């Protein structure tokens, strides 16, 4: 039997995992199923592998192939559903899809206890989400009222695993009521907890605490292609810094760090990302670390699958199904929805009973995949109805011709051929293939004629005829030649051919067997069309990638011929490979690499570059020994490195044609430790009563040269003989305070500081002289005076304080009624100055002014408060220019008087600035009148600016342009307030 139009079911829509919200207003669940089939399929459904009685349960309705569950009941309708589609050709089963009921209960109504935490300590607020399904939730925290959510930063973190809120270091500003806000995206529901009061307790001084990791990511299973997020957060004061690394390797290139370091994201996970990951939390008081393993597994995936096919009756056939995955998937077979009892599907002598719908199922703990195929066993007499012998066959003289014969037949037929009435047999020139095709070698005009293929099996016979014609053979008449060019040059490859005039010819070029697409690669390739028999190829702006073997193929519908030539493109070297580091010392390493391609020009030298952990993005040329690395070298010693510093290196090759691309960076390495050689700088300090403070500028981290870095401070009275030494273990420390009640006032001390690490001590700094017990100035400045200069400026002066310990003065000023004393403006001056200008003041305001002397110990007493009033603001409106008259060699400009507003200063007169249009300065005139005569110039355009002035400063300006050709153009008034006044 044979029906060409019918076929078995093929799924177009299958059920998917469904979460049904228990509070859903739509009291139904729809599980989709649709199969393409001819004749159309009928459908059944299974729940947990058992057939559903659609007639016996009024909750179930079949709509097309979809299963509708009305008024679903949790303990009855939860489970795994599959759809079964059937027609005359067989049965297939869909993938299983679960139905689960989703819910998110409310938080308990019990009051939550307040959390009391000392300022500077860490805090954890527990969320404890209520019962829910599915497990995936998102968490945020409300502060005091909805919808005010706390902002997450390096100090505050919300775990998306537990929902807990972590505060690394509590501030007084954290005081408030907190509520955990929980959302389930699957059921579109959110709930929040009762408020938890957080009460910070004031503590002075605020204590510091070492880093303590409280959020620890667990051992994790990730699937290939998935994204993974790991959480890590620590409490501590100062706020800990979070760092991530992968043990025994680099972090994957597809990683990202967010949430101030608390989240490590791995995107599109691959097997090579598997390993142990470490999170390190670090602050100045200590560090903590946590490690966990990421194991990468994989969902099943077909590496070899099955396809629908037709096979002849009595033939042999094997169905093969292979799946990859981790763990290795288990594979089983179904035929027409039932388990197939054959271990592997090898058919010997197919029968009609073997026809049907076959399914291959691969499953591991991560999921299931299905492959479906129809096997159709057919039997029919030979027929050429759909695939007759080609009616006209062309063959090139002296070439080879194959005439195909492919009838539909089952079982496989036997074949014979004839030319005209002559029966053909196998010979040295004629061969009948096993599949029925006829091959003729070295054809000539004598082989032209009609050829008939005969096919016969036990169900009948048939034949089909075609005609063979012979054409002239195609020949290459001009072959391409080898070429040698430099990068950027142009060249060409010749190619021409002769062919049968009745046929069309085309030329195809390949480079190392890759076909060149002239349209897509037109920036480098172009065809030179010199008639139909030429296929010359132009290669423009050659690049290294254009080197290789070029083949020209001249082809007609009947035959083709080829000719080849080599193109050598010389250019800068390729990047070296395999860069690695050996013989690591404190200031040097040995670098080894593999030579890259020289691109047909010998490598003349190598350049070594490095970058360290202190300048992540900046590669710099490294110093080597010897300084020049020859082109035949594959190793070099890099010197002048910093000890105990993380480096990576790369190598760049150069030849006479240029410098190539750099190699990939080497693995990161850390040089060995060494004794520090850099001493702290800017040694200074001083003292107050019973204390001596020694200060310095800390050494930069790149000069630590080793772990356990710190400082040794040595000091003694100037007339003493024995140095007193103190150790400070904090590498970022900037001062040390020595307390001693016996220290006399103004005692001269000699001080020096040096660095140390685990390898030893470095050199001392230059010695400095400081004085103890320096008290703050005891006297206030006297004879303080001030006056307003304008609406926004004033000047203040005083008699200097005569104490020799005074280092300078501070002037403060603020509005008496509007400003608080703490928000005052300040000016700081050296001890050599006793007057200053105050600016940025408000017009028409009452100000208070005070002056203090200061030194390293602090500020002395303030002067008595001095009161001044700033001037009213200058006019805000510009003069209105009302006329301009030419008077021989001068021009008269007139304007209206400006009337000041009630809050503005009285007009004292007008300022007129006369300048060239291209310059900002010119001649300034003052006048009490409302007009002025200005000389005319013939050397270009001039601008006249008019503004009123008052004791509050200069007012808004009006402009007019005067051209050298005596025409006058008005400019828009410019409303510029100018409050400045001369000092």
């Amino acid at each position: 039997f044979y029906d060409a139009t019918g076929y078995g079911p093929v799924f177009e829509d299958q059920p998917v995992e469904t979460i049904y919200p228990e509070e859903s207003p739509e009291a139904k669940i729809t599980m989709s199923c649709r199969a393409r089939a001819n004749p159309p399929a009928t459908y059944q459904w299974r729940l947990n592998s058992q057939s559903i009685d659609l007639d016996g349960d009024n909750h179930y309705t079949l709509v097309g192939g979809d299963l509708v569950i009305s008024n679903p009941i949790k303990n009855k309708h939860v489970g795994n559903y599959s759809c079964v589609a059937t027609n005359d050709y067989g049965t297939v089963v869909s993938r299983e899809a679960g139905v689960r009921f989703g819910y998110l209960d409310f938080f308990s109504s019990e009051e939550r206890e307040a959390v009391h935490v000392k300022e500077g300590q860490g805090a954890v607020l527990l969320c404890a989400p209520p019962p829910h399904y599915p497990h995936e939730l998102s968490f945020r925290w409300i502060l005091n009222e909805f919808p005010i959510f706390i902002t997450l930063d390096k100090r505050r973190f919300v775990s998306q695993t537990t929902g807990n809120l972590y505060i690394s270091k509590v501030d007084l500003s954290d005081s408030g009521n907190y509520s955990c806000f929980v959302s389930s995206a699957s059921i579109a529901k959110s709930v929040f907890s009762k408020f938890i009061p957080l009460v910070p307790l004031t503590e002075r001084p605020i204590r510091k605490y070492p880093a303590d990791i409280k959020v620890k990511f667990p051992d994790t299973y990730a699937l290939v292609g998935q994204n993974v997020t790991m959480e890590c957060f620590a409490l501590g004061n100062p706020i800990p810094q979070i760092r991530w690394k992968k043990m025994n390797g680099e972090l994957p290139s597809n990683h990202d760090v967010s949430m101030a370091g608390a989240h490590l994201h791995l995107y599109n996970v691959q097997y090579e990302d598997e390993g142990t990951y470490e999170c390190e939390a670090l602050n100045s008081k200590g560090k903590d670390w946590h490690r966990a393993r990421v194991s990468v597994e994989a969902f099943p995936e077909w590496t070899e699958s099955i396809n629908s096919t037709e096979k002849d009756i009595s033939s042999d056939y094997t169905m093969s199904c292979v799946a990859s995955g981790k763990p290795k998937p288990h594979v089983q077979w179904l035929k027409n929805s039932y388990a197939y009892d054959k271990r592997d599907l090898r058919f010997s002598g197919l029968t009609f009973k073997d026809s049907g719908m076959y399914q291959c199922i691969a499953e591991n703990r991560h999921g299931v995949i299905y492959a479906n195929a129809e096997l159709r066993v057919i039997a029919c007499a030979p027929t050429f109805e759909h695939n007759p012998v080609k009616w006209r066959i062309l063959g090139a003289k002296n070439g080879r011709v194959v005439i195909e014969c492919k009838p539909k037949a089952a079982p496989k037929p036997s074949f014979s051929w004839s030319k005209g009435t002559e029966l053909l047999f196998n010979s040295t020139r004629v061969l009948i293939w096993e599949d029925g095709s006829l091959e003729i070698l070295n054809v000539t005009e004598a082989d032209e004629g009609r050829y008939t293929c005969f096919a016969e099996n036990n169900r009948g016979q048939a034949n089909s005829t075609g005609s063979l014609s012979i054409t002239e053979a195609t020949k290459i008449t001009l072959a391409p030649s080898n070429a040698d060019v430099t990068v950027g040059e142009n060249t060409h490859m010749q190619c021409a051919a002769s062919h049968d005039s009745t046929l069309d010819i085309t030329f195809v070029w390949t480079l190392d067997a890759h076909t060149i697409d002239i349209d897509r690669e037109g920036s480098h390739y172009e065809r030179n069309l010199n008639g139909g028999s030429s296929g010359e190829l132009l290669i423009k702006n050659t690049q290294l990638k254009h080197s290789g073997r070029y083949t020209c193929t001249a082809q007609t519908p009947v035959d083709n011929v080829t000719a080849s030539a080599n193109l050598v493109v010389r250019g800068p070297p390729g990047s070296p490979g395999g860069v690695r580091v050996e013989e690591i010392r404190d200031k040097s390493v040995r670098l080894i690499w593999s030579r890259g391609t020289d691109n047909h020009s010998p490598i003349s030298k190598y350049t070594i570059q490095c970058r360290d952990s202190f300048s992540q993005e900046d590669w710099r040329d490294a110093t080597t020994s010897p300084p020049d690395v020859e082109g035949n070298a594959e190793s070099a010693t890099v010197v002048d490195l910093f000890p105990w510093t993380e480096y990576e290196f790369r190598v760049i090759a150069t030849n006479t044609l240029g410098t190539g691309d750099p190699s990939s960076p080497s693995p990161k390495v850390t040089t060995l430790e060494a004794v520090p050689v850099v001493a702290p700088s800017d040694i200074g300090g001083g003292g107050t009563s019973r204390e001596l403070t020694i200060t310095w500028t800390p050494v930069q981290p790149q000069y630590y040269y080793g772990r356990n870095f710190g400082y040794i401070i040595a000091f003694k009275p100037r007339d003493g003989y024995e140095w007193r030494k103190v150790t400070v273990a904090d590498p970022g420390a900037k001062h040390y305070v020595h307390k001693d009640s016996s220290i006399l006032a103004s005692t001269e001390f000699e001080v020096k500081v040096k660095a140390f690490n685990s390898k030893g001590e470095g050199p001392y700094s230059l010695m400095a002289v400081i004085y103890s017990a320096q008290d703050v100035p005891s006297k206030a400045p006297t004879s303080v005076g001030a006056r307003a200069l304008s609406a926004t400026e004033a000047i203040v002066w005083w008699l200097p304080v005569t104490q020799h310990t005074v280092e300078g003065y501070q002037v403060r000023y603020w509005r008496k009624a509007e400003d608080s004393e703490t928000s005052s403006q300040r000016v700081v001056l050296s001890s050599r100055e006793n007057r200053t200008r105050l600016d940025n003041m408000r017009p028409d305001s009452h100000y208070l002014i005070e002056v203090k002397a200061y030194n390293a110990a602090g500020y002395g007493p303030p002067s008595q408060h001095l009161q001044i009033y700033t001037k009213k603001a200058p006019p805000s409106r510009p003069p209105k220019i009302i006329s301009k008259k030419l008077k021989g060699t001068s021009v008269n400009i007139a304007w209206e008087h400006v009337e000041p507003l009630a809050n503005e200063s009285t007009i004292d007169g007008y300022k007129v600035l006369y300048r060239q249009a291209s310059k900002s300065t010119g001649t300034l005139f003052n006048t009490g009148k409302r007009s002025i005569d200005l000389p005319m110039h013939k050397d270009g355009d001039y601008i006249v600016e008019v503004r009123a002035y008052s004791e509050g400063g200069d007012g808004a300006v009006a402009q007019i342009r005067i051209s050298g050709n005596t025409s006058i153009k008005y400019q828009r008034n410019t409303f510029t307030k100018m409050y400045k006044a001369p000092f």
Side-chain angles (χ1 to χ4, degrees):
F1 74 90
Y2 179 67
D3 181 358
T5 60
Y7 54 90
V10 177
F11 281 115
E12 294 183 325
D13 196 5
Q14 299 187 60
V16 296
E17 296 288 326
T18 300
I19 304 294
Y20 175 72
E22 290 186 355
E23 303 170 11
S24 173
E26 184 179 11
K28 70 175 182 179
I29 301 171
T30 300
M31 304 295 284
S32 299
C33 184
R34 185 175 72 256
R36 173 169 44 86
N38 188 14
T42 59
Y43 299 92
Q44 289 181 303
W45 281 83
R46 295 175 182 172
L47 172 57
N48 298 329
S49 301
Q50 300 295 317
S51 293
I52 297 175
D53 183 0
L54 297 175
D55 297 326
D57 189 333
N58 59 9
H59 289 280
Y60 293 115
T61 307
L62 195 63
V63 179
D66 296 348
L67 179 68
V68 179
I69 310 172
S70 302
N71 301 311
I73 301 171
K74 185 173 183 179
N75 60 7
K76 182 175 182 180
H77 296 122
V78 166
N80 295 319
Y81 288 78
S82 57
C83 171
V84 182
T86 303
N87 76 353
D88 295 344
Y89 291 94
T91 301
V92 288
V93 182
S94 74
R95 62 173 175 246
E96 283 192 334
V99 169
R100 304 289 184 268
F101 280 60
Y103 62 94
L104 175 60
D105 290 350
F106 290 100
F107 278 92
S108 168
S109 60
E110 293 183 8
E111 295 295 328
R112 305 285 287 266
E113 292 186 6
V115 177
H116 296 80
V117 186
K118 291 181 180 179
E119 187 180 2
Q121 279 188 333
V124 181
L125 303 187
L126 303 180
C127 179
H132 58 278
Y133 185 88
H135 301 298
E136 293 77 17
L137 297 175
S138 63
F139 301 92
R140 290 188 289 175
W141 280 77
I142 299 169
L143 177 58
N144 294 328
E145 61 178 322
F146 182 85
I148 300 175
F149 294 99
I150 67 166
T151 302
L152 302 182
D153 50 29
K154 64 181 180 180
R155 194 171 65 87
R156 294 179 291 194
F157 175 74
V158 175
S159 170
Q160 295 303 311
T161 303
T162 64
N164 297 341
L165 169 63
Y166 298 83
I167 304 176
S168 63
K169 176 179 77 79
V170 170
D171 292 339
L172 294 179
S173 62
D174 293 321
S175 177
N177 296 310
Y178 291 77
S179 173
C180 181
F181 187 84
V182 181
S183 300
S184 173
S186 300
I187 62 173
K189 182 178 178 180
S190 300
V191 296
F192 55 88
S193 70
K194 297 285 283 186
F195 280 100
I196 306 170
L198 176 62
V199 184
L201 304 177
T202 303
E203 181 177 68
R204 291 293 183 273
I206 299 175
R207 292 180 58 191
K208 294 187 177 181
Y209 302 90
D212 181 13
I213 294 177
K214 292 297 185 184
V215 180
K216 300 179 179 181
F217 59 100
D219 287 340
T220 303
Y221 280 95
L223 295 183
V224 169
Q226 281 190 339
N227 302 332
V228 174
T229 297
M230 289 174 270
E231 295 185 332
C232 181
F233 190 76
L235 310 185
N237 181 20
I239 299 169
Q241 180 182 3
I242 305 294
R243 297 173 180 168
W244 292 88
K245 67 180 178 180
K246 184 182 180 188
M247 309 305 294
N248 302 319
E250 298 290 317
L251 284 172
S253 59
N254 53 337
H255 86 277
D256 183 38
V257 176
S258 65
M259 295 296 292
H263 278 167
L264 173 64
H265 307 279
L266 303 182
Y267 299 107
N268 188 25
V269 169
Q270 301 300 313
Y271 285 119
E272 56 267 26
D273 299 334
E274 183 171 276
T276 299
Y277 288 78
E278 179 183 278
C279 158
E280 181 186 67
L282 177 72
N283 68 7
S284 61
K285 299 298 291 182
K287 68 179 179 180
D288 191 11
W289 55 268
H290 169 71
R291 294 174 185 167
R293 183 166 182 80
V294 174
S295 300
V296 180
E297 298 193 344
F299 197 84
E301 184 178 4
W302 295 119
T303 58
E304 187 176 343
S305 187
I306 53 177
N307 295 293
S308 296
T309 187
E310 294 177 348
K311 290 297 176 183
D312 296 348
I313 193 167
S314 301
S315 63
D316 298 337
Y317 179 56
T318 299
M319 275 191 178
S320 182
C321 227
V322 180
S324 64
K326 188 178 179 183
K328 183 175 176 59
H330 168 69
V331 177
Q332 61 175 329
W333 292 88
L334 300 180
K335 178 186 177 186
N336 293 330
S337 82
Y338 294 101
Y340 201 58
D341 58 3
K342 289 191 177 182
R343 182 170 182 144
D344 35 6
L345 298 189
R346 299 178 185 276
F347 300 94
S348 297
L350 285 167
T351 67
F352 293 131
K353 290 183 179 180
D354 295 318
S355 294
M357 301 301 297
Y358 289 82
Q359 292 182 279
C360 180
I361 304 172
E363 179 177 11
N364 66 11
R365 64 174 171 237
H366 301 300
V368 185
I369 54 174
Y370 290 73
N372 304 340
E374 179 183 355
L375 172 60
R376 185 174 301 184
V377 179
I378 62 172
C380 66
T383 174
F384 287 94
E385 179 181 358
H386 298 291
N387 195 21
V389 172
K390 193 173 179 181
W391 71 275
R392 182 168 183 255
I393 305 103
L394 297 176
K397 184 185 294 185
N398 300 319
R400 167 180 171 269
V401 173
V402 175
I403 308 174
E404 292 185 340
C405 180
K406 294 185 176 180
K408 188 77 177 179
K412 182 180 177 180
S414 60
F415 297 95
S416 60
W417 281 85
S418 69
K419 178 189 176 188
T421 58
E422 176 189 359
L423 196 61
L424 300 177
F425 299 96
N426 288 340
S427 66
T428 56
R429 212 170 61 86
V430 177
L431 178 65
I432 300 174
W433 292 0
E434 186 178 347
D435 70 354
S437 298
L438 176 66
E439 180 181 24
I440 308 172
L441 304 178
N442 300 321
V443 294
T444 65
E445 286 88 346
D447 293 311
E448 292 185 328
R450 292 173 60 80
Y451 288 80
T452 302
C453 174
F454 298 90
E456 182 178 2
N457 66 11
N458 59 10
R459 294 181 174 258
Q461 63 178 8
N463 63 74
S464 181
T465 300
S467 178
L468 174 63
S469 300
I470 304 302
T471 64
E472 290 295 327
T474 305
K475 298 178 182 178
I476 295 289
T477 57
L478 182 60
S481 302
N482 294 338
D484 190 322
V485 297
T486 300
V487 166
E489 293 181 344
N490 299 337
T491 188
H492 68 280
M493 290 282 178
Q494 296 176 326
C495 189
S498 62
H499 63 287
D500 191 291
S501 60
T502 63
L503 301 175
D504 292 330
I505 188 170
T506 58
F507 292 87
V508 176
W509 284 91
T510 61
L511 170 56
D512 295 332
H514 166 72
T515 301
I516 298 171
D517 186 335
I518 303 293
D519 294 330
R520 189 170 61 87
E521 303 177 71
S523 59
H524 290 289
Y525 293 109
E526 184 179 315
R527 287 285 301 276
N528 189 2
L529 301 175
N530 294 324
S533 297
S534 174
E536 183 179 24
L537 179 69
L538 300 180
I539 309 172
K540 305 175 292 183
N541 187 23
T542 55
Q543 302 299 307
L544 294 171
K545 65 181 179 181
H546 298 135
S547 289
R549 188 163 183 80
Y550 284 79
T551 299
C552 170
T553 301
Q555 60 185 28
T556 68
V558 177
D559 64 345
N560 65 76
V561 288
T562 63
S564 301
N566 294 317
L567 174 62
V568 174
V569 181
R570 303 180 188 275
S575 57
V579 180
R580 63 188 190 277
V581 183
E582 296 183 354
E583 300 179 21
I584 302 170
R585 297 185 173 86
D586 58 350
K587 297 181 181 179
S588 67
V589 299
R590 183 167 178 77
L591 206 62
I592 298 175
W593 62 88
S594 300
R595 294 170 57 87
T597 58
D598 64 9
N599 291 324
H600 311 290
S601 180
I603 296 172
S604 56
K605 70 170 185 174
Y606 287 99
T607 302
I608 313 297
Q609 292 188 328
C610 66
R611 64 179 176 187
D612 57 45
S613 53
F614 302 105
S615 55
Q616 280 292 335
E617 302 303 321
D618 298 328
W619 288 96
R620 58 181 175 82
D621 289 351
T623 305
T624 59
S625 178
D628 297 322
V629 182
E630 300 294 335
N632 57 358
E634 293 190 33
S635 66
T637 299
V638 182
V639 297
D640 296 345
L641 301 176
F642 286 110
W644 201 56
T645 300
E646 185 180 70
Y647 283 97
E648 54 186 337
F649 301 89
R650 67 183 187 183
V651 183
I652 304 173
T654 300
N655 62 17
T656 56
L657 298 178
T659 298
D661 293 330
S663 68
S664 297
S666 70
K668 293 180 180 178
V669 298
T670 301
T671 49
L672 302 183
E673 296 177 274
V675 174
V677 298
V678 176
S681 59
D682 301 325
I683 311 302
T688 59
S689 298
R690 298 179 295 282
E691 287 186 356
L692 181 69
T693 300
I694 302 167
T695 61
W696 63 89
T697 298
V699 173
Q700 294 298 308
Q702 61 263 42
Y703 299 108
Y704 288 175
Y705 285 12
R707 67 193 77 223
N708 302 324
F709 185 87
Y711 302 99
I712 296 174
I713 297 95
F715 59 96
K716 69 178 181 66
R718 187 159 195 174
D719 55 358
Y721 296 100
E722 186 175 344
W723 290 91
R724 181 164 186 170
K725 297 181 180 179
V726 178
T727 298
V728 176
D730 181 1
K734 299 179 180 179
H735 72 278
Y736 167 72
V737 179
H738 174 65
K739 297 185 178 182
D740 187 345
S741 59
S742 65
I743 296 178
L744 299 177
S746 299
T747 301
E748 193 172 347
F749 277 85
E750 294 178 341
V751 180
K752 55 186 179 180
V753 185
K754 67 179 175 180
F756 73 90
N757 63 20
S758 58
K759 298 294 287 185
E761 299 175 5
Y764 274 113
S765 65
L766 295 174
M767 189 176 66
V769 175
I770 63 175
Y771 294 88
S772 67
Q774 184 183 57
D775 288 330
V776 299
S778 59
K779 297 180 181 179
T782 58
S783 301
V784 179
R787 65 180 174 87
L789 299 177
S790 69
T792 60
E793 289 185 317
I795 185 172
V796 61
W797 58 87
W798 58 93
L799 288 179
V801 176
T802 57
Q803 291 174 305
H804 72 277
T805 60
V806 171
E807 296 180 9
Y809 298 93
Q810 181 197 70
V811 181
R812 294 199 306 151
Y813 56 102
W814 65 95
R815 289 182 295 174
K816 182 176 181 179
E818 294 87 345
D819 300 336
S820 65
E821 190 171 343
T822 56
S823 64
S824 62
Q825 295 175 269
R826 291 169 169 80
V827 179
V828 178
L829 306 160
S830 72
S831 60
R832 296 188 301 272
E833 300 175 86
N834 69 328
R835 66 184 324 187
T836 187
R837 183 192 292 258
L838 310 180
D839 54 16
N840 295 322
M841 304 176 84
R842 295 293 183 88
D844 197 19
S845 296
H846 184 187
Y847 272 85
L848 298 179
I849 302 173
E850 72 168 29
V851 185
K852 295 178 184 178
Y854 73 87
N855 60 19
Y859 290 101
S863 66
Q864 290 186 345
H865 289 174
L866 182 70
Q867 303 185 45
I868 67 167
Y869 292 86
T870 53
K871 308 291 187 182
K872 287 185 177 182
S876 59
R877 293 178 294 184
K880 181 179 180 182
I881 298 176
I882 55 176
S883 72
K884 59 283 177 189
K885 298 176 181 177
L886 295 176
K887 294 182 177 180
T889 59
S890 64
V891 59
N892 177 267
I893 307 297
W895 56 87
E896 289 182 349
H897 177 63
V898 175
E899 285 294 337
L901 302 177
N903 62 343
E904 294 177 347
S905 301
T906 303
I907 305 300
D908 292 335
Y910 296 92
K911 292 183 180 180
V912 180
L913 178 66
Y914 190 38
R915 61 179 176 84
Q916 283 185 284
S918 59
K919 296 181 179 179
S920 58
T921 60
T923 304
L924 182 66
F925 302 92
N926 286 350
T927 179
K929 300 178 181 179
R930 281 176 273 170
S931 66
I932 192 169
D933 290 331
L934 300 171
M936 282 293 297
H937 297 284
K938 298 182 179 180
D939 55 346
D941 290 355
Y942 276 73
I943 299 294
V944 179
E945 296 181 356
V946 183
R947 56 169 62 85
Y949 68 88
S950 67
E951 65 173 5
D954 294 343
V957 65
Q959 286 188 350
I960 189 172
R961 178 183 290 266
I962 300 176
S963 298
N965 60 6
T966 71
S967 64
I968 300 175
K969 304 173 183 177
Y970 286 100
Q971 300 284 74
R972 177 183 296 178
N973 289 341
T974 304
F975 294 85
T976 304
K977 296 183 179 179
M978 302 189 66
Y979 296 168
K980 298 283 184 181
F983 190 87

